Amino acid sequence: MLKTHHGIELSTSNANVVALYEQALNHIHRYEAGTGAKIKAMLTEQPDFWAGHLLFGAVLATATEARFMPKIRKIVDQVSQAQDKLNDRERGHLSALSAFSQGQWREAGFHWGKILTDHPHDSLALHAAHQIDFITGDDYNLWSRAARVLPLWNEDIPNYANLLGMYAFGLEETNFFSKAEDIGRRCCELDPRDAWGHHAVGHVLEMECRFEEGINWYESRRSEWADDSELSVHNWWHLALYYVEREDFAGAIALFDEQISLEEPDYVLRLMDATALLWRLHLRSVDCGDRWQKLADRWVGKIAVEGGFYAFNDFHAMLALMMGERWSDFKQLRDQIKTQAQQPTTLGVMARDISIPLASAVEAYGKNRCEEAVSILDQVKPLVYRFGGSEAQRDAVDQFHIGAAIKGGLGRAALALAHERTLKKEESPLA
């Protein structure tokens, strides 16, 4: 066995493979484009490098797309047959990926997190667990996993800055805004290419209604997050949110057209960001032209495979299909969600408790039954944190709730909901 720069043992005697593994890790932590090429080079160098296959599986898992599940299951099957060649830490990664492949995402997070007790410098386990916490709405572990290992790291250990980026984002999501901002900025000082740390600071500025600062934060550092980054479109989305919040709707539309609605590569995350921006503009009575129809067409091309898989993705697909008046496709999606809801898994519970009522609320809104939509949202909104996403992303549900009440002429309900959101963001023009 050889060790990485983190002191992590890998089941290989090929030093070049270890170097390629570390290069892939750097790309993963920074969300840099080209990670796939690094992984391919690593596995071409040593096809039976099982730790490399587990790394590949973790990358695919955090994409939260159904189309990657067959490959993840294949990796689990292949590596399971070679268990005697793995060390205990690598077997922990296999247990995590196996749970994920069965739809038990919270269990997967438990296994990745457990690795960190004995191997606190396993940055892949930390990255994967952090993303699982994010996509399952586990805000406590989103910051605490990083906090548990942070005292055992220092600036001399590779990827220390990336650890700070994860910690900063977890703190922001639990409303420790000042500390999150300090740590996020330190992350970006140590590694300006860390898109996650940059994004954590962006979240703080958005949540604290510091919109002009947010625009400057993104614009002044554009070369560090907008080029060769898998998070570039998402960070463009965050920049557009500042424009929406300060009521520069033309600026937001321009960013949508120039940066956010890009069709290649057609990841679900890109479709969600495009949908989330148009939805906010719609709720502010902005004419979006034929953009909804084009976006609905793109979702239709996805739902045959992706429909009913992950509740957070499905919510955005519902909005686009409703706004594009694609009701037959909307029905297909809802049927897929009902099938998923029958499964005794993390994903099944999300579909049952969150996606099914949200689908009813979206349909009711689209068919002008707004009192029904508001009533459903009254009941499901306290649960939506469970389907993951950030506070900024889930604000789409809060604004939906207010928008349905206003559209339905439900003045007292609209006023109550406006009071609720104003308390959270009282400096926003929307307040």
Side-chain angles (χ1 to χ4, degrees):
M1 290 189 182
L2 297 178
K3 291 184 178 181
T4 68
H5 289 151
H6 296 98
I8 297 297
E9 288 188 340
L10 297 174
S11 298
T12 181
S13 58
N14 188 326
N16 190 45
V17 163
V18 175
L20 290 168
Y21 182 91
E22 291 177 326
Q23 291 173 27
L25 269 181
N26 285 331
H27 272 66
I28 291 166
H29 295 323
R30 289 171 157 184
Y31 297 85
E32 287 184 321
T35 301
K38 296 293 183 183
I39 294 173
K40 183 177 180 180
M42 174 181 64
L43 296 179
T44 299
E45 176 80 16
Q46 184 180 337
D48 64 348
F49 178 44
W50 303 117
H53 286 280
L54 291 168
L55 177 147
F56 185 27
V59 171
L60 295 176
T62 56
T64 67
E65 293 197 31
R67 63 185 169 124
F68 296 130
M69 294 303 290
K71 180 62 179 177
I72 293 171
R73 295 187 185 103
K74 183 177 179 180
I75 290 171
V76 170
D77 289 343
Q78 288 177 322
V79 180
S80 295
Q81 294 174 30
Q83 283 201 59
D84 59 328
K85 299 178 181 179
L86 306 179
N87 60 39
D88 287 343
R89 184 192 61 82
E90 291 163 343
R91 291 191 189 97
H93 277 276
L94 176 59
S95 295
L97 197 61
S98 178
F100 186 94
S101 72
Q102 298 168 44
Q104 299 290 11
W105 290 10
R106 293 187 183 278
E107 182 182 342
F110 166 78
H111 286 294
W112 271 311
K114 189 177 179 182
I115 292 170
L116 295 169
T117 302
D118 294 325
H119 305 279
H121 298 117
D122 187 339
S123 63
L124 177 62
L126 179 61
H127 180 96
H130 182 73
Q131 286 301 311
I132 287 294
D133 296 335
F134 175 53
I135 62 184
T136 60
D138 188 348
D139 287 350
Y140 175 78
N141 277 318
L142 195 62
W143 70 268
S144 68
R145 291 195 203 278
R148 291 169 200 159
V149 302
L150 187 60
L152 304 176
W153 286 62
N154 59 59
E155 292 183 14
D156 295 328
I157 298 175
N159 304 117
Y160 176 71
N162 313 129
L163 166 61
L164 293 183
M166 288 183 259
Y167 187 35
F169 182 68
L171 289 170
E172 179 278 324
E173 285 299 291
T174 43
N175 300 327
F176 291 102
F177 296 135
S178 179
K179 189 169 185 177
E181 182 177 357
D182 290 344
I183 292 172
R185 288 182 183 273
R186 182 57 180 156
C187 162
C188 294
E189 289 173 5
L190 294 172
D191 185 356
R193 293 286 298 171
D194 189 300
W196 196 249
H198 189 285
H199 152 267
V201 175
H203 268 269
V204 171
L205 300 176
E206 195 267 331
M207 296 303 291
E208 292 193 329
C209 303
R210 294 156 60 190
F211 306 130
E212 296 302 326
E213 287 183 65
I215 291 170
N216 182 64
W217 172 250
Y218 276 97
E219 292 287 4
S220 65
R221 305 174 66 96
R222 185 182 295 193
S223 64
E224 295 163 355
W225 60 265
D227 301 324
D228 301 319
S229 173
E230 298 290 355
L231 270 183
S232 63
V233 169
H234 187 61
N235 275 318
W236 283 115
W237 177 77
H238 275 283
L239 179 57
L241 284 193
Y242 300 129
Y243 284 99
V244 173
E245 288 283 6
R246 72 174 189 177
E247 301 185 326
D248 180 357
F249 303 132
I253 285 285
L255 284 176
F256 178 90
D257 291 338
E258 296 165 11
Q259 303 291 347
I260 297 168
S261 63
L262 304 178
E263 295 191 11
E264 294 297 335
D266 204 7
Y267 297 133
V268 167
L269 176 60
R270 290 173 178 244
L271 286 174
M272 288 196 297
D273 285 338
T275 303
L277 180 55
L278 284 191
W279 181 236
R280 285 164 171 79
L281 291 169
H282 161 74
L283 292 173
R284 306 295 289 277
S285 302
V286 176
D287 182 0
C288 296
D290 64 351
R291 293 176 182 86
W292 276 119
Q293 284 69 34
K294 292 178 179 178
L295 192 56
D297 288 343
R298 290 171 64 190
W299 273 112
V300 168
K302 285 285 187 183
I303 60 173
V305 173
E306 300 296 336
F309 176 62
Y310 171 42
F312 189 73
N313 298 355
D314 287 337
F315 172 61
H316 291 82
M318 293 171 202
L319 294 176
L321 296 174
M322 179 269 291
M323 291 299 298
E325 298 185 336
R326 304 293 292 267
W327 290 112
S328 62
D329 299 299
F330 188 97
K331 181 180 183 302
Q332 175 189 333
L333 174 60
R334 186 163 55 186
D335 289 345
Q336 291 169 302
I337 290 169
K338 289 178 179 178
T339 299
Q340 177 71 280
Q342 297 172 18
Q343 302 302 312
T345 62
T346 304
L347 297 180
V349 171
M350 285 183 187
R352 184 191 69 217
D353 293 348
I354 304 171
S355 294
I356 288 177
L358 278 179
S360 296
V362 171
E363 180 181 22
Y365 177 89
K367 296 184 176 180
N368 295 312
R369 303 195 306 269
C370 290
E371 186 169 1
E372 177 184 341
V374 169
S375 178
I376 295 168
L377 289 166
D378 284 340
Q379 299 171 66
V380 73
K381 196 171 70 172
L383 306 179
V384 296
Y385 74 93
R386 296 183 189 171
F387 76 175
S390 65
E391 286 282 344
Q393 288 173 309
R394 293 193 299 267
D395 189 38
V397 180
D398 289 346
Q399 293 196 39
F400 177 21
H401 206 179
I402 299 169
I406 292 172
K407 181 182 177 183
L410 306 171
R412 290 177 180 173
L415 182 62
L417 295 168
H419 286 161
E420 175 189 318
R421 191 178 187 280
T422 298
L423 183 64
K424 292 192 288 185
K425 302 186 76 171
E426 59 186 337
E427 299 302 319
S428 169
L430 182 58

